[in-house]
Amino acid sequence: MTPNCVLKIIFLFIFSTSSFVAQNKSADLITIWENPKNPDSTRFNAINKFYLNNSFEQPDSILKITNYHYNLAKEKRALIEMTYSLSQKYRAYYTKGDIKKAMQALEENYVLTKKLNDNKALTIIYSNMGNIYGEQGKYQEAVRYFNKTLKYFQENKIEKSEAAVLNNLGIIYFYMGNTDLALKHYKRSLLLYKKNKLEARAGTVQLNIGSVYFKQKKNKEAIKQAEGAIKTLLPFNDRYSLADCYFLLAQSYKELNNIDKAKLYLGKSIEIDDEFGNNSRIIERQSFKASLNFDTDINLATKQAEEVLKLVKDDTANELKVGIYNLLYKCYKKQNKIELSLAMHEKYAKYNDSLAKENYNLAVMEEAIQKEYKEKLQVNNSKNTQKTYGIIAFCTLLISFGLIYYRKTVIENRKKRDELLEEIEKLKSKDVNNLVVNPNEFELVRDKIEQSIDRKLNDTDWNVLNILLKEPDISNKEIAEKAFMSVDGIGSSLRRMYLYFDIKESKYKKISLITEAIKASSK
């Protein structure tokens, strides 16, 4: 995720954005709500107008006002206004990227809204909880909440909220890598927003569609969608989404090797993002900025990447950590700073468990598909039985293909491993310059290996290589037992040598490593 383009979910407003018109300046609105002589309804309307005008531009100011709003509403025993203030607090924290506090505001809002017996308002809170779970990577929970709210909005023909949930589901599918399913939901959402003349939200969905095209490497289509979204969003002061549009343009132009335009639009994105103080967005944008300078000014790129690293926290998304550690690894390697590059490579490896991520995404997708069709099954009548059986059959077929693909992959991997082991035996038995007489007595030549990799091997690394010579597919634990070392020490030794020998094979690295060592010894 360079980091993938991070999309932000459209917020569901408890009150309609058409209820207020921005006619007063902020100062005038403050004067109105701070005047106790004004009717309560006038004061509350002034606060809500300020929210409408500034929600996506001044989250810090919004947070201060939500406290005033909540206390005023509590004093006046205006329960619904208390829920409004909490919904705005959630949105402000969400915009700033403080997911924990955003969820706290939602949970508090849920308790108050239950007292109102307002099913629509409760459903909106459920949907916003889905937003939070999506941000946390808890996709199964997010899909459950979205499907639950989608059913309510469809049954009650609330098309504006239905469109928002469809967009949110599209985002979840996008995160999971199913761009086709994401695009399908985005397009359904866009149609409903246009039908209801909600241009600002339609513009945000158009941005999301552009991100799908970027993911599919259709960069010109992505640019077209981003430019259209900017044109739509500019009149609505949605700077948060505009920043995403500019970043999408920067990414797309980089892929087209137009670095000047990439830097131009990245600068516009960063200028806006700095206003919000969202640490994750800043890390993503600044990492991308450093990557743009990698080929032309490695010292500048390294300096910029090191500044980004200072922003990384324990709760920073693993995807962002992988991006910055990988970039610094490449920077240090290019500068021949071996120890630093090794340190960054170890950090990169720690967060880059791609196999686990793929398995997790597969499980989530299966859950999402089953949940989606289960909801459809519940609302269909007996006339649709044949159709639902077809859906079940399709899902079964899909899972079957997945199992077949998995089995095929395992067989191919085993075949590749056997081929690599066979290659090792051939290399060991090959008589090169009369160095080898008996394949069982083949010995590695330390001097030749060190000359090949242009560096000295320490005793630990040399010991590990000789153990691998006898058992190329041995586990790290078994190597540790034979070498009388810890498993962590063996892992560190192997990672160093993968770098020394430039081993890129991800599945059978130890076999590839000893293969290269044998080749070097045989020269």
Side-chain angles (χ1 to χ4, degrees), residues 318-379:
N318 286 342
E319 187 174 14
L320 296 176
K321 290 178 181 178
V322 167
I324 189 59
Y325 287 132
N326 190 37
L327 178 59
L328 277 170
Y329 155 66
K330 291 178 180 178
C331 287
Y332 290 139
K333 184 179 180 182
K334 191 172 183 179
Q335 292 176 317
N336 202 31
K337 298 177 180 179
I338 302 302
E339 293 302 320
L340 286 173
S341 66
L342 280 172
M344 292 299 104
H345 190 271
E346 289 186 4
K347 291 282 189 179
Y348 165 76
K350 178 180 177 181
Y351 296 104
N352 194 37
D353 190 352
S354 58
L355 181 60
K357 182 177 180 180
E358 290 171 3
N359 290 338
Y360 177 72
N361 285 348
L362 180 62
V364 172
M365 185 170 293
E366 182 178 346
E367 169 73 10
I369 292 173
Q370 290 178 348
K371 187 67 177 179
E372 182 177 358
Y373 287 120
K374 183 178 179 181
E375 293 292 340
K376 291 181 179 180
L377 186 63
Q378 291 175 347
V379 299

